[in-house]
Amino acid sequence: MDQYEMVRRAVRSVREQTDFVPEVAIVLGSGLGALADFVKTPVVIPSESIEGYPKSTVSGHAGRLVFGTLAGKKVAVQQGRIHYYEGYDMSEVVLPVRLLCALGAKTVILTNAAGGINKTFRPGDFMEITGQIAQFVPSPLRGANDDTFGTRFPDMSEVYSGRLRAILEEAAEEVKAPLRKGVYLQAGGPNYESPEEINAFRVLGADAVGMSTAVEAIAARHMGREVMGVSLITNMAAGIDKPLSHEKVKAAADRAGEKFVSLIERVIAKI
Ligand code: HPA
């Protein structure tokens, strides 16, 4: 079965449970799952009840979709992201975001925990993703194309919407969140990068590195959706500061959780 038929089946599974039509889809990164607790009148759909939905295997990632309202907008939150390093194909990694788009979301907010490559960044900073480098991982569009989803060769000259970037900047100022700007590079993981790789990525123009997001942005843009991306810099990337661990990344995400929630809520109110 092709990847797009898988999405149609997933849509059918959800439609057997709810007729909710989200305006905004939000994908939550490592340790940022608390945002889902702020969704009002939530309808929770466990990922196991959705045909073909990959199982998340990472600690700190509960697999479920939460539909409801946030800051007065109808949202669908993906809690528990699927990562390439778990062993899934990219088409499976992006199934959840495609599903949320197919359910009606016109705007997609992608969030992640990332390592800071830009030496002026500090752990605890947020980063507005201005652009991305995705060539170190396979494209989620590989394989037969389905023109009802999008064109074979989609343009990627503005992956992250200028309109949404302006909204993010305004929102960050209002909630006094420390917002930086930069280019996100998706690495394959699960190992963190070597210092040599980080130096190479810096030369290529990357400001932050993570193991998600860029392929989801490609899938959403393929479907013509407007995309916003925000990273939480949980640590400085390898070789800059101290050795890395998933525990440290999660702890840093927890510390920034409250600010993150208020930032995203303010963004959604303005969309
Ligand atoms: N590298 C890759 N992914 C990450 C990092 C990092 O330093 N921090 C959080 N996610």
Side-chain angles (χ1 to χ4, degrees):
M1 193 194 322
D2 80 32
Q3 52 182 319
Y4 299 99
E5 182 53 28
M6 290 291 291
V7 177
R8 290 192 183 92
R9 289 187 183 214
V11 168
R12 260 177 260 142
S13 293
V14 172
R15 283 291 169 244
E16 282 164 12
Q17 303 179 62
T18 179
D19 57 7
F20 187 92
V21 176
E23 298 163 64
V24 182
I26 308 163
V27 181
L28 297 177
S30 293
L32 300 173
L35 183 77
D37 302 335
F38 292 81
V39 172
K40 299 212 176 68
T41 59
V43 174
V44 177
I45 302 199
S47 55
E48 303 84 64
S49 72
I50 304 171
E51 187 180 345
Y53 199 107
K55 283 180 189 44
S56 169
T57 63
V58 200
S59 79
H61 286 266
R64 54 191 203 153
L65 301 180
V66 181
F67 299 103
T69 54
L70 192 64
K73 300 277 182 347
K74 292 174 86 175
V75 302
V77 179
Q78 180 192 340
Q79 213 181 3
R81 174 182 252 143
I82 309 302
H83 298 83
Y84 184 60
Y85 60 73
E86 294 176 74
Y88 293 109
D89 289 341
M90 273 317 178
S91 59
E92 298 173 288
V93 169
V94 301
L95 180 135
V97 74
R98 281 181 168 149
L99 167 62
L100 298 182
C101 292
L103 291 170
K106 298 278 178 278
T107 305
V108 177
I109 299 178
L110 301 173
T111 72
N112 60 55
I117 294 179
N118 183 323
K119 290 181 180 171
T120 70
F121 290 1
R122 291 288 165 266
D125 284 347
F126 293 97
M127 186 185 87
E128 166 192 331
I129 305 181
T130 58
Q132 68 179 29
I133 297 172
Q135 296 292 342
F136 290 97
V137 288
S139 171
L141 309 185
R142 182 169 179 271
N145 191 58
D146 184 329
D147 292 337
T148 61
F149 279 75
T151 179
R152 170 78 289 187
F153 300 110
D155 176 61
M156 291 289 145
S157 45
E158 189 184 318
V159 176
Y160 297 93
S161 147
R163 184 183 82 88
L164 295 179
R165 284 173 50 194
I167 286 176
L168 175 60
E169 288 169 25
E170 258 179 47
E173 212 159 285
E174 288 170 18
V175 304
K176 300 192 167 47
L179 184 71
R180 321 298 290 265
K181 293 184 200 183
V183 173
Y184 178 90
L185 183 146
Q186 181 168 356
N191 52 288
Y192 289 114
E193 302 72 30
S194 68
E196 296 75 22
E197 287 162 341
I198 293 303
N199 287 337
F201 292 166
R202 186 182 299 110
V203 171
L204 292 178
D207 295 288
V209 60
M211 303 175 194
S212 67
T213 303
V215 292
E216 294 158 16
I218 290 171
R221 291 297 299 140
H222 179 235
M223 293 176 74
R225 300 316 195 257
E226 215 183 0
V227 177
M228 190 191 100
V230 56
S231 295
L232 168 67
I233 305 299
T234 49
N235 57 279
M236 294 312 290
I240 300 175
D241 205 348
K242 305 168 203 91
L244 309 181
S245 75
H246 186 51
E247 283 60 43
K248 283 190 210 166
V249 167
K250 277 195 294 187
D254 281 349
R255 280 195 296 279
E258 225 170 286
K259 205 43 132 188
F260 172 77
V261 169
S262 46
L263 176 62
I264 299 299
E265 273 191 318
R266 192 63 66 98
V267 165
I268 290 170
K270 290 170 176 286
I271 282 176

